[in-house]
Amino acid sequence: MARHPRPHKAKSCKRTSLPSYAHKLPATTALPETTPDMISGGMATVATMGSDKDQLALCLRVLAEIPLAVILLSAQGHIIYANKAFSTLTKFPAPDLIGKDISSLVSQYPDAFCFHHLQEAFRANKPSHKKYRSQKINQDHYWERSNIVLVEVGQETHYLIGFFQDITLQVQSKELISHMAFYDLLTDLPNRIFFSGELESALKESCASGQKLAVVLLDLDRFKVINDTLGHTVGDQFIQHVAKRLRTHLAPNDTVARMGGDEFILLLPYIRHFHEVVAKLQLIKEVFREPFSSNNHILHINVSMGVSLFPEDGEDVHSLLKHADSALYEAKNSGRNHYKFFTNTLGSETTSDFTIEMSLRKALDQKHLRLYYQPQVSFQTGKIIGVEALLRWEDPEMGFIMPDRFIPLAEETGLIVPIGEWVLQEACAQAVSWQKMGLSPLKMAVNMSVRQFQEPELVEKVLAICQQTGLDPFLLELEITESLLLKDLNVIQMTLQWLKKKGIMISIDDFGTGYSSLKYLRRFPISTIKIDRSFIRDSQNNPDDAALVTTLCSIAHHLNLHIVAEGIENKEQYLFLKDLGCDAFQGFYFSAAVPADDISALLREGRCI
Ligand code: C2E
Ligand code: MG
Ligand code: MG
């Protein structure tokens, strides 16, 4: 469509006047002037022209030679000139373009954005400048800055001149610089700055959705030894392997960043249950069990992790990082190779036992205590044969508190007695509820505190709960610790025997960690021993622990006791304990302690190992 003569536009419109001779350039007859010869700047063309023509030729020669890609569009939207630099940049041979309509070029080369931009400016009849990623005729991509100006020649004729510049290098270096600002050079993982931004957005999202998230600070144990003995090159390669392994094994939604040195940080969003975090931490530990190989060196390394949770341990980036850091510190201090959750105000010295006691009392009244259940799995059949009820405290202010933190205080203050009664009641009711759902009966193991045994009428209370909830006492197992057997022996012996008579089983929890005489194993009516997870944890690396576990199993076998292995976290431990003839196991290898509904799901799907 012919677009001239155009009315004069508002002053805001940027116009550039061509030199005086330019108006002599016939708008529609530009083709003879832009011969390939001129585009290539042939001297001969200039020499054969008259004076105006000389000037024009000189002008065209300059255009032809400048290292800036230039294109000239007539008022009718036809290309009337393209210089050598334009061809070099876009790979479009200039002569092929001359006379072409801009619309047809846009449809013919939809990915060449220089034509789009020209067309846009032409339609708007406005100067314009832009930066975009475009395509050359040979399909190569490049970044381009284009500047289109409107030129009027005389009153009525208008040209568009497009100047195009390849800015790929600038864009790439800018990208590289910003990548370097947010990514770690060695591992290409996000860095601390990027992580903080991610955490900030995740916190906003979690606030809106009501979901939790976890921040995990992860530190390689004794990495310095690798650096010092094998050198920094191996150390660096090793860090790269670690980064890759973490990235591969975590979910796409999880963020893994490198804080620097041998410290990494993870953001685990969309957490619904605490045990999901535990399962992830276990997975990470598992990931590190496989040795790393770097430069012909096989390296075994453990990790320590500190965890803080939103909203329990903080509601902003700073406090979550700080609390994950103090949890990590605690993990490192308590022997490395494991994880610690930040324990919030419970960990601070300013919170008195009295405050905790008051909160715990409130928790019992206000039903902030919950039971989780950890499956016990038969080595023989691979199926779930029972569960252990494990107490959880979800305080609205202090967050999720694990039993190790509050059971000792509950014992000290005597609160464990009403709490223990609630646990028993709740666990028995749950066991019956599973049966009512048509699931096969499971053994229910309940932890009992020494304090509960000091109460008169314990047996009556237990039996009353069984009767009231409808649980067959033969399905109930009470877990006691060796320390109970150091108390008033005769009374304890009578109580345990009475319980046994009623069908209730007794197991010794954390077997091997107490200091009592082994004689009690014969003296008391014990049916099961549970080998403490501390022995199992180190049984693969420490021959003494392996020997101890073997001996404990052997003693238990000779005394015809059932053996439950606690804290099985991986296949090696599983196979080791299976070979020793243990009857059942508990541990993250199969499942952590989970809410009752999750146990129903596991049973329904018939999960076995
Ligand atoms: P426990 O009775 O020896 O319970 C086993 C503990 O080991 C549980 O910790 C369980 O979550 C953890 N565990 C299980 N499998 C693994 C594993 O593969 N790896 C690791 N690292 N840990 C594993 P939890 O739930 O924190 O309980 C700690 C202790 O608190 C219990 O040790 C028990 O002594 C006490 N406790 C829990 N609930 C009650 C309760 O209702 N009453 C009493 N009196 N004590 C309780
Ligand atoms: Mg136990
Ligand atoms: Mg135990």
Side-chain angles (χ1 to χ4, degrees):
M1 180 179 68
R3 289 167 54 88
H4 78 108
R6 293 169 193 229
H8 275 290
K9 285 274 163 185
K11 284 268 185 288
S12 63
C13 190
K14 185 179 159 195
R15 286 160 194 269
T16 310
S17 288
L18 279 182
S20 60
Y21 53 80
H23 71 276
K24 293 184 180 138
L25 229 184
T28 50
T29 55
L31 287 176
E33 278 83 7
T34 50
T35 59
D37 198 13
M38 284 178 179
I39 289 161
S40 67
M43 279 300 285
T45 316
V46 177
T48 56
M49 285 183 172
S51 69
D52 267 0
K53 280 190 175 174
D54 281 353
Q55 285 187 51
L56 177 60
L58 182 64
C59 179
L60 288 171
R61 170 85 193 280
V62 170
L63 277 179
E65 286 302 319
I66 55 169
L68 182 67
V70 180
I71 206 164
L72 187 57
L73 197 71
S74 76
Q76 287 76 31
H78 294 121
I79 307 281
I80 53 173
Y81 179 76
N83 72 351
K84 191 165 62 173
F86 186 84
S87 299
T88 312
L89 175 65
T90 61
K91 306 288 181 229
F92 285 96
D96 294 358
L97 293 173
I98 307 303
K100 290 262 165 66
D101 179 72
I102 187 65
S103 309
S104 68
L105 285 170
V106 167
S107 22
Q108 200 179 348
Y109 305 105
D111 295 322
F113 281 92
C114 51
F115 298 141
H116 281 275
H117 191 199
L118 264 175
Q119 187 188 40
E120 201 180 291
F122 173 71
R123 284 186 176 156
N125 188 30
K126 265 189 183 168
S128 161
H129 53 90
K130 274 195 173 168
K131 197 172 94 174
Y132 44 78
R133 192 163 175 265
S134 187
Q135 204 180 61
K136 304 186 182 195
I137 200 166
N138 63 1
Q139 319 257 295
D140 282 355
H141 283 98
Y142 68 111
W143 278 92
E144 184 169 73
R145 178 181 297 132
S146 68
N147 202 350
I148 298 183
V149 295
L150 202 63
V151 181
E152 41 183 71
V153 180
Q155 288 293 305
E156 298 185 341
T157 311
H158 302 258
Y159 296 90
L160 286 180
I161 307 183
F163 301 97
F164 304 91
Q165 224 180 332
D166 185 347
I167 52 162
T168 310
L169 266 181
Q170 281 127 285
V171 170
Q172 282 172 347
S173 12
K174 220 166 160 188
E175 276 172 1
L176 184 69
I177 290 166
S178 71
H179 189 81
M180 279 160 66
F182 293 110
Y183 287 82
D184 169 51
L185 271 184
L186 182 65
T187 60
D188 208 34
L189 286 180
N191 64 12
R192 178 195 279 266
I193 301 170
F194 184 98
F195 184 87
S196 301
E198 283 289 291
L199 180 54
E200 186 114 40
S201 338
L203 284 172
K204 279 186 196 138
E205 216 178 296
S206 295
C207 274
S209 68
Q211 277 179 318
K212 294 171 186 290
L213 63 80
V215 172
V216 183
L217 204 53
L218 182 153
D219 189 281
L220 307 180
D221 292 341
R222 301 191 181 86
F223 174 70
K224 196 175 170 306
V225 179
I226 295 180
N227 251 348
D228 290 350
T229 51
L230 302 175
H232 288 271
T233 313
V234 176
D236 281 357
Q237 282 171 354
F238 176 66
I239 291 282
Q240 285 168 331
H241 288 312
V242 168
K244 199 164 161 204
R245 208 178 271 189
L246 280 173
R247 191 53 282 167
T248 316
H249 285 89
L250 284 163
N253 278 333
D254 301 335
T255 303
V256 188
R258 181 172 176 228
M259 294 295 261
D262 60 347
E263 211 170 81
F264 294 83
I265 190 156
L266 321 178
L267 164 60
L268 313 177
Y270 313 124
I271 302 289
R272 279 165 301 134
H273 290 295
F274 179 76
H275 64 88
E276 292 170 2
V277 183
V278 173
K280 277 257 161 85
L281 299 171
Q282 279 309 310
L283 174 97
I284 294 166
K285 282 191 73 178
E286 197 55 34
V287 159
F288 276 84
R289 284 187 56 77
E290 183 84 8
F292 291 83
S293 71
S294 185
N295 253 7
N296 296 330
H297 298 286
I298 302 290
L299 303 166
H300 293 264
I301 198 126
N302 293 322
V303 282
S304 297
M305 292 176 272
V307 190
S308 62
L309 300 170
F310 165 84
E312 288 85 351
D313 304 335
E315 299 195 345
D316 57 79
V317 173
H318 175 75
S319 48
L320 285 168
L321 289 181
K322 195 174 105 192
H323 292 156
D325 193 47
S326 52
L328 175 65
Y329 181 77
E330 224 190 289
K332 289 243 161 212
N333 265 355
S334 56
R336 300 163 193 259
N337 189 24
H338 54 232
Y339 52 80
K340 282 267 186 230
F341 283 86
F342 176 66
T343 43
N344 211 342
T345 45
L346 276 184
S348 94
E349 280 153 23
T350 51
T351 310
S352 66
D353 281 359
F354 180 71
T355 316
I356 299 166
E357 188 193 328
M358 294 307 287
S359 306
L360 194 51
R361 276 182 201 283
K362 235 169 59 188
L364 184 61
D365 290 345
Q366 298 180 351
K367 307 205 174 357
H368 290 148
L369 296 180
R370 282 186 74 185
L371 285 187
Y372 272 35
Y373 300 89
Q374 185 174 38
Q376 292 188 344
V377 181
S378 159
F379 271 117
Q380 209 184 358
T381 63
K383 289 188 181 155
I384 302 176
I385 50 166
V387 290
E388 177 180 0
L390 291 160
L391 196 52
R392 299 290 179 258
W393 175 11
E394 279 187 76
D395 184 85
E397 278 148 36
M398 292 190 286
F400 208 96
I401 306 158
M402 295 299 276
D404 282 344
R405 304 297 303 190
F406 66 87
I407 296 268
L409 187 81
E411 283 179 335
E412 219 172 280
T413 55
L415 259 178
I416 194 69
V417 175
I419 290 177
E421 206 171 312
W422 175 83
V423 170
L424 201 60
Q425 169 85 32
E426 183 76 11
C428 293
Q430 184 58 59
V432 173
S433 156
W434 281 322
Q435 287 176 31
K436 285 187 181 156
M437 289 160 85
L439 302 165
S440 43
L442 294 178
K443 180 183 79 180
M444 174 60 77
V446 177
N447 291 284
M448 298 290 283
S449 149
V450 172
R451 280 296 286 259
Q452 289 174 272
F453 277 82
Q454 289 165 349
E455 288 292 295
E457 299 172 350
L458 171 76
V459 183
E460 287 87 342
K461 266 188 199 156
V462 175
L463 292 175
I465 288 175
C466 284
Q467 198 173 22
Q468 192 196 330
T469 55
L471 183 73
D472 181 348
F474 281 84
L475 288 174
L476 182 62
E477 181 172 270
L478 301 182
E479 295 193 3
I480 59 169
T481 50
E482 290 163 278
S483 55
L484 179 70
L485 308 176
L486 298 173
K487 304 278 168 193
D488 191 344
L489 290 185
N490 287 333
V491 177
I492 298 295
Q493 191 177 12
M494 269 171 52
T495 310
L496 295 180
Q497 251 148 14
W498 193 2
L499 286 167
K500 191 192 170 188
K501 229 173 166 178
K502 296 293 175 188
I504 294 164
M505 293 166 283
I506 305 292
S507 68
I508 307 284
D509 202 357
D510 309 335
F511 183 67
T513 57
Y515 301 98
S516 61
S517 148
L518 285 178
K519 263 196 201 160
Y520 68 74
L521 288 178
R522 273 194 296 143
R523 178 169 176 182
F524 296 102
I526 287 152
S527 55
T528 306
I529 61 156
K530 298 184 75 180
I531 301 180
D532 189 60
R533 67 172 194 267
S534 59
F535 301 119
I536 291 174
R537 186 183 62 209
D538 299 326
S539 60
Q540 303 305 292
N541 315 322
N542 186 337
D544 290 347
D545 277 324
L548 210 74
V549 171
T550 312
T551 311
L552 292 178
C553 286
S554 162
I555 294 171
H557 278 138
H558 281 100
L559 296 171
N560 273 335
L561 297 170
H562 265 82
I563 313 169
V564 175
E566 282 193 305
I568 299 282
E569 295 186 352
N570 55 57
K571 196 168 179 184
E572 288 80 2
Q573 292 169 347
Y574 166 80
L575 293 174
F576 177 60
L577 273 299
K578 190 179 182 188
D579 284 351
L580 287 178
C582 281
D583 299 284
F585 75 93
Q586 279 175 246
F588 298 156
Y589 183 53
F590 186 83
S591 166
V594 291
D597 287 349
D598 293 18
I599 295 286
S600 328
L602 284 177
L603 290 169
R604 270 205 207 94
E605 76 187 41
R607 166 99 85 86
C608 60
I609 203 143

